[in-house]
Amino acid sequence: MRQEAALALMARNPERLVRDQGAGMSKTIAPLANLRRQQVSLQAPDAFGRLFAFVTECDGEVGSRTWQEFRFALSVSPDTVVLASGLCDRLCAAPHRLEQTGRFATT
């Protein structure tokens, strides 16, 4: 028996419990189908394709709950900003310093 036929049969059942279960299953099946379609779209090889798929096919409820529970991996505080800027300065200046010491040849 197909899924739609089974749900229709449950909807016509004289028992209220069976009708309510069928209605609950219908409410679950539709979002699940959307999530499966989005999962296939998110397997696109390019990042922009995945971003586009997420934006156009995003499940609002799942996206909302995800955003509410989101936490940054690193805390953003003044100390972190100073540390990050010092690290960036070191990394950007490293080739120049190596060239000055003769350990890095540019030609």
Side-chain angles (χ1 to χ4, degrees), residues 13 15 22 35 46 49 52 54 57-58 63 82-83 90 93 98 105:
N13 193 296
E15 294 290 327
L35 287 172
D46 61 308
F52 182 75
F54 177 75
E57 299 181 21
C58 181
V82 169
L83 177 65
R90 287 249 191 220
L98 289 174

Side-chain angles (χ1 to χ4, degrees), residues 64-71:
S64 174
R65 280 189 273 146
T66 301
W67 183 251
Q68 289 172 357
E69 296 297 321
F70 178 77
R71 301 285 184 267

Side-chain angles (χ1 to χ4, degrees), residues 7-75:
L7 291 172
L9 182 63
M10 290 179 84
R12 292 189 308 268
N13 193 296
E15 294 290 327
R16 181 183 170 135
L17 176 64
V18 175
R19 288 192 311 266
D20 289 348
Q21 286 176 336
M25 285 185 220
S26 295
K27 289 179 183 176
T28 302
I29 290 170
L32 180 61
N34 291 338
L35 287 172
R36 285 186 176 150
R37 188 175 55 251
Q38 184 182 17
Q39 182 182 22
V40 170
S41 299
L42 288 174
Q43 292 173 349
D46 61 308
F48 289 113
R50 290 191 302 269
L51 178 62
F52 182 75
F54 177 75
V55 170
T56 57
E57 299 181 21
C58 181
D59 183 304
E61 186 179 338
V62 172
S64 174
R65 280 189 273 146
T66 301
W67 183 251
Q68 289 172 357
E69 296 297 321
F70 178 77
R71 301 285 184 267
F72 285 101
L74 297 173
S75 63

